[in-house]
Amino acid sequence: MWLLMPRILEVALVSIVLLASLVVFYTVASSGSAWQAYLPPSVLLLGVLLSYRFPWAGLVVIAIAPVLTLLSDTAAVGTWSMVCFAAFLLTLRGLTPIAVAPVLAISVFVSSALSIGTIDISVDATSSIFAFSVIVAAVFGGATRGNGQYRQEVQLRIREEQTARRAAVDRGIAQERLRIARDLHDSVGHQVAMINMHLGAAEVSLQSDEDSVRKSLQAARGSVREVLKETQQIIAILNTGRDENELEATPGHELITNLIESYRTGGMHIDATINDLGGGIAPQVSIAAYRIVQEGLTNAHRYGDGVASISVERGTGGEELRIEIVNRHGSRKHSSEPGGGNGLVGMRERAESVGGSLEIQSEFPLFWVVATLPVAGGK
């Protein structure tokens, strides 16, 4: 309603001016006055019409109308009243009160004073009242326009903030989807790789060694359980909004040795050097270290020849973790699992998310991945 108010007032003011002009025309016609008496309201209507296209020209024409009342003996109260409404209308359309008020107030004051014959308010205050009324009308018109512009600006800012908020929510959703995809790739992808290795070992040993087959199948079943557990953890994060660091079963650096053993039981030959990492490692860094090792070994299994070397140690001064994984290039057909192409990107994002870095180097026949993580975390 407040946004529509200037428009409603403009229509009302134009209607009032038209109605007043009709009253003046009727009065002049009824009194049998000369044709000059029709000039003031006619010129004022022309000025109002002209002000739609040329505001300043309309202001000048409207200012002339009160002066024209001096050409006849007909009472000019109607024309002076119309000037007050015209002042409101002009400032409502955009002219400043500082420009409109003095011009029209002086025009009405001079014409009414000359018509009455005095400016002494103790004798007749008509000229002062009309001049003051013009000023008040102009000020109110400017204030109404300013209030409408202010409300429009507020509405615009609200819409911009809502748009920005929606964009931020969309970005957050996109980032969360990427994080979920990365977690699924790191955790579930690892367990699927282990299932593939165990089932492959079972297939090779099927005819010759039933014990080996049984052990491989049992290991595969264990990997399936791990897949289910990892998936349930990610679903729990989505359902409750908790961060992954709050889940007790989320693996950390202390389980890297177990992770390496799971790959060894799957048939990989891994030369591991895991120093005592000690304490004081931030939870997010611990998780990132585990995931980087997990993804590095998964890549070594998928794209290597089944032989890898890994070292995890605390750097000089104990302020950073250094993870190095080296494997030899192998045939792409070594694994039947399709590669998603996100492993190295996910490892780099893991490292950078805690303020670390990841270096990748490939010189046939070797492939290196070196991650450096600050133990206290960053970012």
Side-chain angles (χ1 to χ4, degrees):
M1 186 63 184
W2 279 104
L3 296 177
L4 294 175
M5 186 62 69
R7 181 61 177 172
I8 295 174
L9 285 176
E10 182 178 354
V11 173
L13 289 169
V14 172
S15 300
I16 291 173
V17 171
L18 290 175
L19 181 60
S21 63
L22 292 177
V23 172
V24 172
F25 287 140
Y26 177 78
T27 303
V28 172
S30 300
S31 62
S33 301
W35 64 269
Q36 292 90 342
Y38 292 94
L39 283 178
S42 300
V43 171
L44 194 144
L45 287 176
L46 176 63
V48 170
L49 180 63
L50 189 63
S51 65
Y52 274 98
R53 187 69 180 273
F54 306 102
W56 291 103
L59 172 63
V60 173
V61 173
I62 292 172
I64 295 173
V67 179
L68 295 178
T69 60
L70 300 175
L71 299 178
S72 66
D73 296 332
T74 306
V77 174
T79 301
W80 298 336
S81 301
M82 291 169 62
V83 172
C84 295
F85 291 109
F88 199 139
L89 184 62
L90 289 174
T91 53
L92 189 64
R93 287 177 181 169
L95 290 182
T96 62
I98 296 177
V100 173
V103 173
L104 297 185
I106 292 174
S107 175
V108 170
F109 182 80
V110 171
S111 63
S112 60
L114 292 177
S115 176
I116 296 170
T118 181
I119 60 173
D120 188 354
I121 60 175
S122 62
V123 176
D124 194 329
T126 301
S127 57
S128 299
I129 292 174
F130 273 105
F132 180 74
S133 299
V134 169
I135 295 174
V136 171
V139 171
F140 269 101
T144 303
R145 177 178 175 80
N147 183 61
Q149 291 177 334
Y150 168 76
R151 292 180 181 276
Q152 289 179 351
E153 181 67 21
V154 169
Q155 292 294 328
L156 178 61
R157 291 187 179 182
I158 291 174
R159 287 194 294 268
E160 290 177 348
E161 290 178 359
Q162 290 174 343
T163 302
R165 191 179 299 112
R166 285 194 296 268
V169 171
D170 292 340
R171 286 195 300 270
I173 292 173
Q175 292 172 356
E176 184 65 14
R177 287 176 177 172
L178 290 175
R179 190 186 70 82
I180 293 170
R182 185 178 62 197
D183 285 347
L184 287 172
H185 180 276
D186 290 347
S187 59
V188 178
H190 158 66
Q191 297 299 338
V192 171
M194 297 304 302
I195 293 173
N196 182 72
M197 286 192 295
H198 291 311
L199 293 179
E203 182 180 2
V204 171
S205 305
L206 186 60
Q207 298 295 332
S208 59
D209 191 346
E210 292 184 0
D211 291 337
S212 297
V213 173
R214 183 177 293 104
K215 290 180 180 178
S216 294
L217 292 177
Q218 289 175 348
R221 290 179 60 190
S223 295
V224 171
R225 287 194 296 268
E226 288 297 321
V227 169
L228 294 176
K229 184 172 68 175
E230 295 274 7
T231 304
Q232 289 170 353
Q233 289 174 3
I234 294 173
I235 292 175
I237 294 174
L238 296 177
N239 288 337
T240 64
R242 295 181 295 170
D243 188 80
E244 61 181 355
N245 297 339
E246 298 178 3
L247 298 176
E248 295 180 357
T250 301
H253 71 280
E254 66 279 354
L255 297 179
I256 290 178
T257 303
N258 296 340
L259 179 66
I260 294 173
E261 288 301 321
S262 69
Y263 278 94
R264 284 173 174 166
T265 59
M268 287 190 66
H269 299 282
I270 302 175
D271 181 15
T273 302
I274 311 297
N275 294 337
D276 183 13
L277 301 180
I281 300 177
Q284 66 270 23
V285 177
S286 178
I287 296 171
Y290 181 91
R291 294 302 189 193
I292 289 172
V293 172
Q294 184 182 60
E295 182 58 36
L297 292 178
T298 300
N299 286 342
H301 164 66
R302 285 179 175 173
Y303 310 114
D305 61 356
V307 178
S309 174
I310 179 173
S311 68
V312 182
E313 59 185 1
R314 203 147 177 170
T316 305
E319 299 298 327
E320 63 182 24
L321 290 181
R322 188 177 186 277
I323 302 171
E324 181 177 0
I325 304 172
V326 183
N327 64 272
R328 291 185 298 199
H329 286 278
S331 172
R332 180 63 185 270
K333 297 181 181 180
H334 177 74
S335 173
S336 61
E337 301 172 51
N342 297 319
L344 296 178
V345 175
M347 294 168 68
R348 189 181 301 278
E349 289 179 352
R350 287 279 186 186
E352 293 178 352
S353 68
V354 296
S357 62
L358 185 81
E359 297 180 3
I360 300 171
Q361 185 177 358
S362 178
E363 293 183 6
F364 191 84
L366 299 179
F367 184 83
W368 285 273
V369 174
V370 180
T372 304
L373 310 177
V375 297
K379 290 190 179 181

